[in-house]
Amino acid sequence: MVSEQREILAEWSKKVRIGRMSRRSFLASTVALGLSSSAALTLLEGCAAPSGSGPSITYWNLFGGGDGARMIQMENAFAQSNPHIHLQPVTLAWGDPYYTKLTMASAGGRPPDVAISHMTRVATYVAQDLLEPFDLNELAKYDIAEDKFLSPIWQRAHHGDKVYAIPLDTHPFVMYYNVEICRKAGLLDADGNLKPFQGINGVLDAFKSAKEASGGYGVVFEIQGVTPWRLFYSLYSQLGGAIFTPDNKELALDDAKAEQALSFMADLTINTKVAASNIDYAGSVALFGGGKSAFLWNGEWEVTTFENQKGFEFSMAPFPLVFDKYRVQADSHSFVLPRQIATDPERRSASLEFISYMLKNSYEWAQGGHVPSYLPVTDSEEYKKLKPQSNYASVASNVVFDPNAWFSGSGSELENQAGAAFQTILNGQASPQQGLRQFRDALQKLLSIKLPFQQ
């Protein structure tokens, strides 16, 4: 299917260049194939005959919205700085559509030279032999080495003794706060920063004060989606809980710890009502942006949304320590090398040059909220002055990624099943014990499915 799509797209782009198809028709047709309009334009430009004799590399990613616009800016900057390399970027639909197409392209022998993958998806690709490991000696030539990354993130890129991913960022679960409401609630210090609060009582007390000051809610977060998983996994990990055995073949859920985390979540929406129940993603963002909640728990990628909201004063802080040891759920956008039928040394070198450029220039990427993985950027004074984005950068050393199961990772079935089970608890339709039983049963069914690449 992917090879057929590429042939169709190449033919369409040729028709545009010779005047037999309009750009409008081209855009409508490519969107029907699953590409965004911005990706279609990028593809059209990339399909034009390149000038010069340098290598041409294809790059696939799944970035939309503000991330997509920022990535296109970075791609254009790379192209201008490296005229000897012809970059052909393609943006595909986020989530399973993207990963399905990447799998098909790699299995069919027509993959891109470089692609983006969430770090939590890499293990499955490695198990299917769809990725090539990076040559550490070659990476070193482009200033990509272990000492340029936080150890936990770099180690996560390993499978066996080989590196299969180069992390661009870490994107953790964070806490946004309305400065005006928090000031009114007495939650800011003399410098106007949020006073730290922790523990079950400390968090609930802060949200109760914030609820009274806001006239709405203390905190909001998505209920009808996958955010309940991110919240649960952060809390459960703070209790030291594991989802699977180390080989990811059997369930290792600790019912007592899981119920403790889920009971706290139910306290927020049902018992104390400091949090809104039964709202979707857009609803949670709108409530916070509309001044109806003092706090928002979400990914850090919404920072641009609130920065663009005129007259809205907000800031950001790490997700709080509620239980024993600080942990917070996160993932990492990473560069991978899909398996090639035959590796072209010139294109591989150009691919590494592209990855290196994106890492070294990831300050622009950081402005969208993500914590840069490349330490020379994260440790720079420029980044430290970037507010509120740098306020939560310290958590990158204490993040927990989704387990390495075939059905796990960002946008995965694990997250979907967790969301379905836990929202019943958050909406008062089920007890923590009942919701946990639903989640356990769903995971057990997924574990029982034996795929060809599983050992």
Side-chain angles (χ1 to χ4, degrees):
M1 178 63 177
V2 169
S3 60
E4 293 175 355
Q5 285 180 334
R6 292 170 70 89
E7 291 173 4
I8 292 170
L9 290 170
E11 180 62 26
W12 286 348
S13 64
K14 180 180 177 181
K15 289 182 179 180
V16 173
R17 291 197 301 275
I18 64 177
R20 294 182 61 187
M21 176 184 267
S22 70
R23 288 169 65 89
R24 178 176 294 181
S25 296
F26 176 83
L27 289 173
S29 300
T30 51
V31 169
L33 280 183
L35 274 72
S36 67
S37 57
S38 61
L41 285 171
T42 302
L43 181 62
L44 180 58
E45 293 167 359
C47 287
S51 59
S53 58
S56 178
I57 60 171
T58 53
Y59 163 55
W60 285 15
N61 70 76
L62 70 176
F63 298 119
D67 278 354
R70 207 173 297 277
M71 177 55 64
I72 289 174
Q73 291 174 357
M74 294 173 69
E75 292 165 356
N76 291 340
F78 170 81
Q80 293 173 4
S81 301
N82 298 272
H84 60 291
I85 296 174
H86 307 291
L87 178 68
Q88 299 182 52
V90 176
T91 302
L92 300 169
W94 192 93
D96 278 340
Y98 174 80
Y99 287 109
T100 298
K101 290 174 183 177
L102 184 59
T103 298
M104 293 171 65
S106 300
R110 297 292 297 275
D113 296 286
V114 185
I116 285 289
S117 173
H118 286 93
M119 188 74 80
T120 53
R121 292 277 191 151
V122 171
T124 300
Y125 279 91
V126 173
Q128 297 176 83
D129 196 30
L130 296 178
L131 296 181
E132 296 185 11
F134 285 89
D135 184 319
L136 298 184
N137 292 327
E138 288 299 312
L139 285 177
K141 297 177 183 178
Y142 298 93
D143 298 321
I144 304 174
E146 181 176 0
D147 63 356
K148 298 293 195 299
F149 302 86
L150 289 173
S151 181
I153 305 299
W154 181 255
Q155 290 307 314
R156 181 70 191 227
H158 283 71
H159 293 276
D161 59 352
K162 297 179 180 179
V163 173
Y164 284 90
I166 303 299
L168 172 62
D169 63 46
T170 301
H171 44 279
F173 200 46
V174 298
M175 184 163 66
Y176 300 77
Y177 63 94
N178 183 304
V179 172
E180 182 180 352
I181 295 175
C182 287
R183 183 181 295 114
K184 184 178 178 181
L187 297 176
L188 302 185
D189 61 22
D191 296 323
N193 297 315
L194 186 69
K195 295 176 183 177
F197 51 81
Q198 64 182 48
I200 294 176
N201 292 332
V203 172
L204 290 178
D205 287 346
F207 288 166
K208 288 175 183 176
S209 297
K211 175 181 172 67
E212 183 177 351
S214 71
Y217 297 101
V219 64
V220 289
F221 52 90
E222 175 194 31
I223 305 295
Q224 303 171 7
V226 302
T227 298
W229 159 254
R230 304 195 74 193
L231 175 55
F232 167 77
Y233 198 42
S234 296
L235 297 168
Y236 182 62
S237 298
Q238 289 187 3
L239 289 164
I243 305 294
F244 303 117
T245 53
D247 61 6
N248 294 295
K249 293 182 178 180
E250 296 180 19
L251 210 53
L253 268 175
D254 185 316
D255 285 357
K257 292 177 179 177
E259 288 176 16
Q260 189 175 355
L262 292 170
S263 294
F264 173 76
M265 291 165 62
D267 280 344
L268 295 169
T269 59
I270 304 303
N271 300 327
T272 66
K273 299 188 186 303
V274 296
S277 61
N278 202 34
I279 57 173
D280 60 13
Y281 185 97
S284 67
V285 172
L287 282 172
F288 178 71
K292 301 299 183 182
S293 176
F295 294 92
L296 168 69
W297 281 341
N298 202 339
E300 27 65 29
W301 48 79
E302 290 293 349
V303 62
T304 305
T305 299
F306 302 122
E307 284 180 334
N308 292 335
Q309 189 170 324
K310 188 175 181 179
F312 184 66
E313 189 179 4
F314 80 100
S315 192
M316 300 169 72
F319 180 80
L321 172 65
V322 180
F323 293 117
D324 303 335
K325 186 176 182 180
Y326 192 82
R327 292 289 184 270
V328 63
Q329 193 269 357
D331 206 335
S332 172
H333 296 120
S334 304
F335 294 103
V336 295
L337 300 175
R339 176 72 64 185
Q340 306 289 328
I341 294 177
T343 302
D344 182 309
E346 190 178 19
R347 290 172 65 177
R348 177 55 51 84
S349 180
S351 297
L352 297 183
E353 190 168 348
F354 168 70
I355 294 172
S356 177
Y357 177 93
M358 301 302 268
L359 293 175
K360 292 176 180 178
N361 292 275
S362 56
Y363 173 78
E364 180 171 350
W365 188 243
Q367 293 176 58
H370 306 312
V371 181
S373 291
Y374 197 63
L375 289 180
V377 175
T378 316
D379 293 340
S380 69
E381 288 302 315
E382 183 181 36
Y383 176 71
K384 290 176 182 177
K385 292 177 182 177
L386 181 64
K387 300 294 182 180
Q389 290 90 335
S390 64
N391 290 354
Y392 48 84
S394 61
V395 308
S397 297
N398 296 291
V399 297
V400 284
F401 287 4
D402 292 5
N404 280 333
W406 69 265
F407 51 83
S408 181
S410 290
S412 67
E413 189 60 18
L414 182 149
E415 292 190 345
N416 293 335
Q417 291 297 332
F422 299 158
Q423 70 174 272
T424 62
I425 301 171
L426 292 164
N427 288 330
Q429 299 166 336
S431 67
Q433 293 79 11
Q434 291 170 325
L436 178 59
R437 190 178 308 121
Q438 179 181 335
F439 181 53
R440 175 183 284 277
D441 290 347
L443 291 186
Q444 203 64 65
K445 288 179 181 179
L446 290 168
L447 282 170
S448 68
I449 300 173
K450 298 299 181 184
L451 302 180
F453 58 84
Q454 288 181 284
Q455 295 296 323

